[in-house]
Structure formats: structure tokens, C-alpha cells
Amino acid sequence: MSSIFADDSDFIQLDFFSELPEQPQMSENIEILQVINGELLLQTGGGEKKLSAGDFVLINANTVYELRGGAAIYARLSLAANRIYNLLGKSSVRFQCGPENREEPAYLRLEALLWRIYEAALRKDQSGSIQIISQYYQLIEL
């Protein structure tokens, strides 16, 4: 695991991984998982999804999931669910987004935004940090 950017408020965190977790995962946060290289199999209570390079999926808060597969590099962008709920004025929200939505305009905008976030995070300079914060709010809006 390599943590690239973590806001002081723990509102958002971006990590890149080259190894799969050994056990099923459950996050209190909303997570976007994107395969950078290789393939993964994502298993949730709703079934299995094959994720290829470039594919991403949104995992709702308090969802148990398991990742399986061979050699892969993937990104995990975690958004603090309680902060999102507060911004939306809701006590909970269920999102749905995955490779099955790849032809929809919102999916394509989100995909482009994710790549801009990764590029800015890897620059690790002040300009990149400011761009990341701006892009995170764009992400929430989407």
C-alpha cells in the first residue's frame, strides 16, 4: 500500500495497492476502487464483478467486499461517509456505479476526474494539493 494523499480532516484518502488484502474488507467510508493494471474479481453480497484495467466501482459505506485475482495495481479513494451524508442532509445514501455504467456520461466524467486526481496526487507539490482538493469536491458533486 502506498498512501498518496490524506487530508488532515480525514475527509478523503487516496491509496494505491499492488497486493490484495488477505481477508474481506468493510469500510465505514464510501470507496471508489479502480483497477490501474491487471484484473480483479470483486465479490459483494450483490454478486461478483470482473474489473479490468480502467474499470472502477463505487462501494457504499458498511459494505463487505472481497478482492481476488492475480497481479494487479489498483487505487482506492475513500470518502468519509458521514461528511457526505451531512453535505447532502441525509442520514444515509446508496450509490450505484460500476463498469456496467461505462457508456453513461456521468461514468465517463467520473473516470476522467479520477485520472486527474491521480495525476495531481503523484505530483506532490502545492499546486497538485490545491487541484486535488478542488477535484474532490467535483467528485462529490458527481
Side-chain angles (χ1 to χ4, degrees):
M1 174 177 98
S2 174
S3 183
I4 299 297
F5 179 81
D7 188 6
D8 291 335
S9 68
D10 291 327
F11 177 51
I12 212 149
Q13 183 168 339
L14 172 61
D15 297 295
F16 290 92
F17 299 89
S18 59
E19 296 180 10
L20 299 177
E22 295 180 10
Q23 300 177 29
Q25 304 293 300
M26 182 171 142
S27 176
E28 296 175 3
N29 296 317
I30 298 163
E31 296 183 355
I32 298 175
L33 302 175
Q34 184 170 27
V35 178
I36 306 298
N37 190 334
E39 292 183 341
L40 292 176
L41 185 63
L42 171 70
Q43 183 173 2
T44 65
E48 291 184 346
K49 288 183 186 182
K50 180 181 176 184
L51 302 174
S52 299
D55 289 345
F56 66 89
V57 64
L58 193 143
I59 308 287
N60 286 291
N62 302 315
T63 299
V64 176
Y65 66 91
E66 186 172 0
L67 294 172
R68 294 192 312 260
I73 297 172
Y74 68 99
R76 181 185 67 204
L77 185 68
S78 297
L79 302 159
N82 60 348
R83 295 283 303 272
I84 303 279
Y85 301 159
N86 287 339
L87 286 170
L88 296 174
K90 309 257 183 194
S91 60
S92 69
V93 177
R94 303 281 309 160
F95 297 100
Q96 184 173 343
C97 185
E100 63 276 4
N101 306 107
R102 96 173 21 99
E103 299 301 319
E104 296 179 21
Y107 183 95
L108 297 172
R109 287 194 321 263
L110 183 55
E111 180 180 37
L113 182 58
L114 288 170
W115 288 111
R116 288 194 309 268
I117 289 170
Y118 303 155
E119 288 172 11
L122 292 171
R123 278 204 319 263
K124 293 188 177 184
D125 61 11
Q126 190 62 31
S127 170
S129 295
I130 292 168
Q131 286 179 349
I132 290 169
I133 293 167
S134 169
Q135 291 166 348
Y136 284 152
Y137 284 101
Q138 292 174 41
L139 176 73
I140 293 165
E141 181 183 16
L142 277 176

Short mmCIF file of all heavy atoms in Angstrom, two decimals, residues 5 21 24 30 35 41 52 57 59 61 68 74 76 88 94-95 101 105 108 125 128 136:
data_model
loop_
_atom_site.label_atom_id
_atom_site.label_comp_id
_atom_site.label_asym_id
_atom_site.label_seq_id
_atom_site.Cartn_x
_atom_site.Cartn_y
_atom_site.Cartn_z
N PHE A 5 -2.26 10.68 -0.73
CA PHE A 5 -2.79 11.93 -0.21
C PHE A 5 -3.81 11.62 0.86
O PHE A 5 -4.70 10.82 0.67
CB PHE A 5 -3.46 12.73 -1.33
CG PHE A 5 -4.06 14.02 -0.87
CD1 PHE A 5 -3.27 15.14 -0.69
CD2 PHE A 5 -5.41 14.13 -0.62
CE1 PHE A 5 -3.81 16.33 -0.27
CE2 PHE A 5 -5.96 15.32 -0.20
CZ PHE A 5 -5.16 16.43 -0.03
N PRO A 21 -5.77 -7.60 -0.34
CA PRO A 21 -5.96 -7.93 1.08
C PRO A 21 -6.25 -9.42 1.25
O PRO A 21 -6.87 -10.04 0.38
CB PRO A 21 -7.15 -7.08 1.51
CG PRO A 21 -7.80 -6.62 0.26
CD PRO A 21 -6.82 -6.74 -0.84
N PRO A 24 -11.70 -10.43 3.65
CA PRO A 24 -12.74 -9.50 3.19
C PRO A 24 -12.59 -8.16 3.91
O PRO A 24 -12.13 -8.09 5.05
CB PRO A 24 -14.05 -10.20 3.59
CG PRO A 24 -13.69 -11.64 3.65
CD PRO A 24 -12.28 -11.68 4.14
N ILE A 30 -17.25 5.57 2.02
CA ILE A 30 -17.61 5.30 0.64
C ILE A 30 -16.29 5.14 -0.09
O ILE A 30 -15.39 5.96 0.07
CB ILE A 30 -18.44 6.45 0.07
CG1 ILE A 30 -19.74 6.60 0.86
CG2 ILE A 30 -18.70 6.23 -1.42
CD1 ILE A 30 -20.44 7.92 0.65
N VAL A 35 -9.15 -0.30 -11.05
CA VAL A 35 -8.03 -1.13 -11.48
C VAL A 35 -7.16 -0.29 -12.42
O VAL A 35 -7.64 0.23 -13.43
CB VAL A 35 -8.51 -2.41 -12.18
CG1 VAL A 35 -7.33 -3.24 -12.68
CG2 VAL A 35 -9.39 -3.23 -11.25
N LEU A 41 -11.33 -9.53 -9.34
CA LEU A 41 -12.69 -10.01 -9.17
C LEU A 41 -13.18 -9.43 -7.85
O LEU A 41 -12.57 -9.65 -6.80
CB LEU A 41 -12.73 -11.54 -9.14
CG LEU A 41 -14.12 -12.15 -9.08
CD1 LEU A 41 -14.92 -11.81 -10.34
CD2 LEU A 41 -14.01 -13.66 -8.93
N SER A 52 -11.52 -4.96 -15.08
CA SER A 52 -10.33 -4.93 -15.91
C SER A 52 -9.67 -3.57 -15.78
O SER A 52 -10.24 -2.64 -15.21
CB SER A 52 -10.71 -5.19 -17.37
OG SER A 52 -11.31 -6.46 -17.51
N VAL A 57 -15.43 0.92 -9.59
CA VAL A 57 -16.71 0.63 -8.95
C VAL A 57 -16.79 1.42 -7.66
O VAL A 57 -15.79 1.65 -6.99
CB VAL A 57 -16.88 -0.90 -8.70
CG1 VAL A 57 -15.85 -1.42 -7.73
CG2 VAL A 57 -18.27 -1.25 -8.26
N ILE A 59 -18.12 1.54 -3.90
CA ILE A 59 -18.53 0.66 -2.80
C ILE A 59 -19.19 1.53 -1.74
O ILE A 59 -18.58 2.48 -1.24
CB ILE A 59 -17.32 -0.07 -2.17
CG1 ILE A 59 -16.47 -0.78 -3.21
CG2 ILE A 59 -17.76 -0.98 -1.04
CD1 ILE A 59 -17.09 -2.02 -3.78
N ALA A 61 -20.77 2.69 1.89
CA ALA A 61 -20.32 2.54 3.28
C ALA A 61 -20.95 1.30 3.89
O ALA A 61 -22.08 0.93 3.55
CB ALA A 61 -20.69 3.78 4.08
N ARG A 68 -10.24 -10.51 -5.34
CA ARG A 68 -9.43 -11.67 -5.70
C ARG A 68 -8.86 -11.44 -7.09
O ARG A 68 -9.38 -10.66 -7.88
CB ARG A 68 -10.30 -12.93 -5.69
CG ARG A 68 -10.81 -13.30 -4.31
CD ARG A 68 -11.40 -14.70 -4.27
NE ARG A 68 -12.33 -14.98 -5.32
CZ ARG A 68 -13.65 -14.94 -5.20
NH1 ARG A 68 -14.20 -14.65 -4.06
NH2 ARG A 68 -14.43 -15.23 -6.23
N TYR A 74 -4.20 -1.32 -8.14
CA TYR A 74 -5.48 -0.64 -8.07
C TYR A 74 -5.42 0.52 -7.10
O TYR A 74 -4.56 0.58 -6.22
CB TYR A 74 -6.61 -1.61 -7.72
CG TYR A 74 -6.58 -2.17 -6.33
CD1 TYR A 74 -7.38 -1.63 -5.33
CD2 TYR A 74 -5.77 -3.25 -6.00
CE1 TYR A 74 -7.36 -2.15 -4.03
CE2 TYR A 74 -5.75 -3.78 -4.72
CZ TYR A 74 -6.55 -3.22 -3.75
OH TYR A 74 -6.53 -3.73 -2.47
N ARG A 76 -7.62 3.03 -4.39
CA ARG A 76 -8.79 3.11 -3.51
C ARG A 76 -8.91 4.55 -3.04
O ARG A 76 -8.01 5.07 -2.38
CB ARG A 76 -8.67 2.18 -2.33
CG ARG A 76 -9.92 2.25 -1.42
CD ARG A 76 -9.79 1.44 -0.18
NE ARG A 76 -8.75 2.04 0.66
CZ ARG A 76 -8.07 1.37 1.58
NH1 ARG A 76 -8.26 0.09 1.77
NH2 ARG A 76 -7.14 1.99 2.30
N LEU A 88 -25.22 16.30 2.09
CA LEU A 88 -26.46 16.02 1.38
C LEU A 88 -27.70 16.17 2.26
O LEU A 88 -28.82 16.10 1.76
CB LEU A 88 -26.43 14.59 0.80
CG LEU A 88 -25.36 14.34 -0.27
CD1 LEU A 88 -25.33 12.87 -0.64
CD2 LEU A 88 -25.62 15.20 -1.49
N ARG A 94 -27.34 5.50 -0.77
CA ARG A 94 -26.83 4.34 -1.50
C ARG A 94 -26.50 4.80 -2.92
O ARG A 94 -27.34 5.35 -3.61
CB ARG A 94 -27.87 3.22 -1.57
CG ARG A 94 -28.38 2.71 -0.26
CD ARG A 94 -27.52 1.76 0.48
NE ARG A 94 -27.06 0.64 -0.28
CZ ARG A 94 -26.02 -0.09 0.08
NH1 ARG A 94 -25.35 0.22 1.16
NH2 ARG A 94 -25.64 -1.11 -0.63
N PHE A 95 -25.26 4.58 -3.32
CA PHE A 95 -24.81 4.94 -4.66
C PHE A 95 -24.68 3.67 -5.49
O PHE A 95 -24.44 2.60 -4.94
CB PHE A 95 -23.44 5.63 -4.60
CG PHE A 95 -23.46 6.93 -3.84
CD1 PHE A 95 -23.01 6.98 -2.53
CD2 PHE A 95 -23.90 8.09 -4.45
CE1 PHE A 95 -23.01 8.17 -1.83
CE2 PHE A 95 -23.90 9.29 -3.76
CZ PHE A 95 -23.46 9.33 -2.45
N ASN A 101 -22.03 0.72 -16.09
CA ASN A 101 -22.46 2.08 -16.42
C ASN A 101 -21.48 2.80 -17.35
O ASN A 101 -21.62 4.00 -17.57
CB ASN A 101 -22.62 2.91 -15.13
CG ASN A 101 -23.52 2.28 -14.12
OD1 ASN A 101 -23.05 1.78 -13.10
ND2 ASN A 101 -24.81 2.28 -14.38
N PRO A 105 -22.77 9.18 -19.52
CA PRO A 105 -21.94 10.38 -19.42
C PRO A 105 -21.36 10.63 -18.02
O PRO A 105 -20.21 11.04 -17.91
CB PRO A 105 -22.90 11.51 -19.82
CG PRO A 105 -23.94 10.85 -20.67
CD PRO A 105 -24.07 9.45 -20.11
N LEU A 108 -18.28 8.46 -17.50
CA LEU A 108 -17.14 8.96 -18.26
C LEU A 108 -16.54 10.21 -17.62
O LEU A 108 -15.32 10.36 -17.56
CB LEU A 108 -17.56 9.23 -19.71
CG LEU A 108 -18.02 8.00 -20.49
CD1 LEU A 108 -18.59 8.40 -21.84
CD2 LEU A 108 -16.89 7.00 -20.64
N ASP A 125 3.17 18.41 -5.18
CA ASP A 125 3.58 19.79 -4.94
C ASP A 125 2.36 20.58 -4.47
O ASP A 125 1.24 20.06 -4.43
CB ASP A 125 4.23 20.41 -6.18
CG ASP A 125 3.29 20.47 -7.38
OD1 ASP A 125 2.07 20.24 -7.23
OD2 ASP A 125 3.78 20.77 -8.48
N GLY A 128 -0.47 20.77 -6.94
CA GLY A 128 -1.18 19.49 -7.02
C GLY A 128 -2.14 19.31 -5.86
O GLY A 128 -3.26 18.85 -6.04
N TYR A 136 -11.72 16.85 -5.55
CA TYR A 136 -12.51 16.05 -4.62
C TYR A 136 -13.93 16.60 -4.50
O TYR A 136 -14.89 15.85 -4.46
CB TYR A 136 -11.84 16.00 -3.25
CG TYR A 136 -10.65 15.08 -3.19
CD1 TYR A 136 -9.63 15.33 -2.29
CD2 TYR A 136 -10.53 13.97 -4.00
CE1 TYR A 136 -8.52 14.49 -2.22
CE2 TYR A 136 -9.43 13.14 -3.95
CZ TYR A 136 -8.43 13.40 -3.05
OH TYR A 136 -7.35 12.59 -2.98
#
